[in-house]
Amino acid sequence: MTRDERRDISYADKLSALFPDEQPREEMKIGANFTRDVTFQVTEACNMACTYCYQHNKTPDSMSFETGRKFIDLILASDERTSCYIKSRECPGCVIDFIGGEPLLEIDLIDQLTEYMIFEMIRLNHPWATRFIISIGTNGLLYFTDKVQRYIRKYMGKIGINITVDGNRDIHDMCRLDLNGNPTYDRAFAAAKDWDRRIGVGRGSTKITLAPTNVRMASSAVISMMQNGYENIHINCVYEEGWQLEHARILYSELKKLTDFILEHPRYITNSISILNTAICQPASDSDLDQTYCGGLGLMLSLAPNGFIYPCLRYAPSSNPDTIKLIHIGHVDHGIGITAEEKQNIEMMRNVSMKSQYHGTQCENCPISTGCGNCPGYGYEVTGIIGARTTYHCIMHQARSLAIAYHTFKLLQAGYSDITRPHKLYCPKEWAIPIIGASEYEYLKKMEMEVIKE
């Protein structure tokens, strides 16, 4: 397996690998039988105030146990109240995902819901009883509390904890502050290292978010995480408005520095760094365009504290202004896809593909479209259209594609053909030169001719 084949693996993908279906894996679409993420937004409250947080309408509201219990009963029943969207008894597995706000603020509720769901899966002889993973995304500030530690010990071996650390202290504390404006790096990193110790050094992963305010720290952030033993580093640019040409120039320079550092320190060659994945930033195939890879278009389901069920958390009230009409697909009191409005929302999601998202936009016929991230939930917030695609981050994807070309050519020059794959300079010259200049573009073209053999 090459480093780039170890691409960003979700918990659902991990579970599918652990419990492969006896039948050929189905296409991931609404109603199909693949491992599902079932998300409980146990609270909208948070003990931090991150500058780039997409949940810009949080409240103190938390979920009641009764609401969570109804949701569990509904999904596990696997009857006509949910069958248009999910047939849980036919799905090979489940990711029980707890999220906030900051979910660990409601650790007692999480414990109650976990215990109840496991008990019911066993009582009902449900297939998920032996095929589930618990996932918690947290900022780590409450990680060392007695209640959280007891929960971890109780479910160790069935739980994955994702603690956000934005690289090093400088970049983390620029954006990730607590409610009193205090830095959080030391607390978050201590939690992350303890979790890494529990599951085995090097097995942990981290997620770094780049925004216009911190993009100039991208290389130092990744280098710091690698030096601290992280082998799987997810890093991406936010999709929201604000990116400018100057930021793209900075990102390219930062990713060049990162490649040069890796080549100078070969022990990091096999690390997986999502932003330098050489399998992407290429033209999309017809099969790519016919699909959608976002769970928020019918592949996941998320319960908010108000009892409504959404395609994902990004459609929930905490992520949207009060003026927007929310897109829900069900309610714990009646099921999924029952009302006319719910049926219409699900049908509109069913008809979304990359091709439909690209049609009539600058994304149509884009030669570097593969791997270009997008959030349909954010697109809906901005446009009011289900499946709409925003393009604020296009310039950053162009810079990324150029950096991937540089990364690939440098690795091939150094003889690392076994851990990368050929990657042409797919970014058009007219896009590239404003970002990297004519001389750097010619330098990339020269390297391409040297290392890429047709």
Side-chain angles (χ1 to χ4, degrees):
M1 178 180 290
T2 71
R3 184 195 60 194
D4 294 314
E5 286 168 334
R6 291 165 45 204
R7 61 184 67 178
D8 298 351
I9 301 174
S10 71
Y11 272 90
D13 289 332
K14 288 179 181 178
L15 194 61
S16 293
L18 287 170
F19 303 106
D21 197 359
E22 294 178 0
Q23 302 175 8
R25 185 171 178 176
E26 286 198 41
E27 180 183 349
M28 294 181 73
K29 60 184 180 180
I30 294 173
N33 300 320
F34 52 90
T35 301
R36 291 296 186 117
D37 276 271
V38 177
T39 300
F40 296 80
Q41 187 186 20
V42 291
T43 184
E44 292 185 358
C46 190
N47 52 0
M48 285 179 59
C50 303
T51 58
Y52 52 60
C53 184
Y54 63 86
Q55 291 186 42
H56 45 74
N57 195 26
K58 292 192 285 284
T59 74
D61 292 349
S62 294
M63 184 180 294
S64 68
F65 173 73
E66 181 65 12
T67 295
R69 183 194 63 77
K70 287 181 179 180
F71 185 57
I72 292 169
D73 291 345
L74 181 69
I75 299 303
L76 295 184
S78 193
D79 56 24
E80 68 280 356
R81 294 172 297 166
T82 61
S83 60
C84 73
Y85 192 86
I86 178 175
K87 305 178 184 73
S88 69
R89 283 194 168 273
E90 298 177 21
C91 294
C94 173
V95 181
I96 307 170
D97 195 4
F98 295 109
I99 197 165
E102 169 47 45
L104 296 185
L105 289 168
E106 292 291 339
I107 189 61
D108 289 336
L109 174 61
I110 289 174
D111 195 11
Q112 277 186 290
L113 292 173
T114 304
E115 193 171 77
Y116 179 78
M117 187 164 183
I118 293 174
F119 178 84
E120 285 299 294
M121 290 189 298
I122 295 172
R123 185 182 69 82
L124 296 169
N125 195 27
H126 195 284
W128 288 356
T130 57
R131 296 169 177 255
F132 72 91
I133 290 176
I134 303 164
S135 175
I136 300 177
T138 173
N139 57 40
L141 298 193
L142 297 173
Y143 174 86
F144 288 108
T145 60
D146 290 342
K147 288 182 178 181
V148 172
Q149 289 299 303
R150 281 198 298 270
Y151 181 86
I152 291 173
R153 289 192 296 270
K154 187 175 181 179
Y155 296 107
M156 196 64 195
K158 277 293 189 180
I159 185 174
I161 298 182
N162 308 297
I163 302 167
T164 300
V165 178
D166 268 357
N168 54 32
R169 178 178 284 102
D170 290 340
I171 189 171
H172 183 100
D173 286 342
M174 177 178 290
C175 300
R176 299 186 64 79
L177 304 175
D178 66 20
L179 294 179
N180 294 317
N182 298 315
T184 63
Y185 175 80
D186 289 337
R187 288 172 282 174
F189 186 69
K193 290 305 291 181
D194 183 77
W195 178 249
D196 197 38
R197 174 188 61 79
R198 288 171 183 261
I199 63 174
V201 175
R203 292 180 60 198
S205 65
T206 189
K207 171 72 166 60
I208 300 170
T209 300
L210 296 179
T213 53
N214 66 11
V215 66
R216 63 181 63 255
M217 298 178 174
S219 63
S220 62
V222 175
I223 290 168
S224 178
M225 296 310 294
M226 291 193 298
Q227 291 174 331
N228 280 305
Y230 287 85
E231 298 178 358
N232 189 19
I233 300 172
H234 307 260
I235 175 170
N236 70 279
C237 295
V238 298
Y239 306 134
E240 284 80 4
E241 192 173 7
W243 294 112
Q244 303 293 332
L245 177 59
E246 63 178 295
H247 301 126
R249 291 169 176 164
I250 292 169
L251 180 64
Y252 177 76
S253 175
E254 287 294 299
L255 296 183
K256 276 188 65 176
K257 290 179 190 176
L258 180 56
T259 291
D260 294 343
F261 176 85
I262 291 171
L263 288 170
E264 291 170 7
H265 303 82
R267 64 184 179 276
Y268 300 125
I269 283 288
T270 57
N271 282 32
S272 176
I273 303 169
S274 64
I275 203 166
L276 290 175
N277 184 346
T278 61
I280 62 174
C281 291
Q282 302 181 30
S285 66
D286 288 340
S287 60
D288 287 331
L289 293 174
D290 287 337
Q291 299 182 48
T292 177
Y293 298 94
C294 177
L297 285 170
L299 308 183
M300 304 187 302
L301 63 164
S302 179
L303 174 67
N306 61 9
F308 280 97
I309 303 167
Y310 299 91
C312 83
L313 180 66
R314 193 60 182 77
Y315 294 91
S318 60
S319 303
N320 291 279
D322 294 331
T323 55
I324 197 169
K325 179 178 171 58
L326 296 177
I327 296 297
H328 60 82
I329 58 173
H331 193 277
V332 293
D333 287 337
H334 62 246
I336 299 174
I338 303 301
T339 70
E341 180 182 358
E342 292 163 0
K343 290 177 181 177
Q344 182 183 44
N345 290 338
I346 291 172
E347 188 59 27
M348 284 191 287
M349 287 190 297
R350 196 190 306 275
N351 292 327
V352 175
S353 65
M354 287 177 64
K355 185 181 294 183
S356 71
Q357 288 182 297
Y358 288 175
H359 181 68
T361 74
Q362 63 197 65
C363 303
E364 199 164 17
N365 301 316
C366 175
I368 57 170
S369 62
T370 57
C372 182
N374 179 246
C375 176
Y378 175 58
Y380 177 77
E381 178 189 341
V382 172
T383 67
I385 300 172
I386 293 179
R389 184 179 182 86
T390 57
T391 56
Y392 302 125
H393 66 293
C394 279
I395 190 71
M396 304 307 287
H397 188 68
Q398 293 167 16
R400 180 188 186 187
S401 74
L402 294 165
I404 287 175
Y406 177 88
H407 182 75
T408 304
F409 303 157
K410 282 293 186 179
L411 261 62
L412 291 174
Q413 280 184 337
Y416 293 107
S417 59
D418 57 328
I419 62 167
T420 188
R421 62 184 72 188
H423 187 98
K424 295 182 180 180
L425 185 56
Y426 292 103
C427 187
K429 183 176 181 179
E430 61 270 24
W431 295 358
I433 289 180
I435 298 172
I436 63 175
S439 61
E440 181 73 6
Y441 178 77
E442 292 305 321
Y443 174 58
L444 292 180
K445 290 297 292 183
K446 182 179 178 181
M447 282 200 293
E448 180 185 43
M449 293 178 63
E450 291 175 358
V451 300
I452 303 296
K453 308 299 181 183
E454 294 292 349

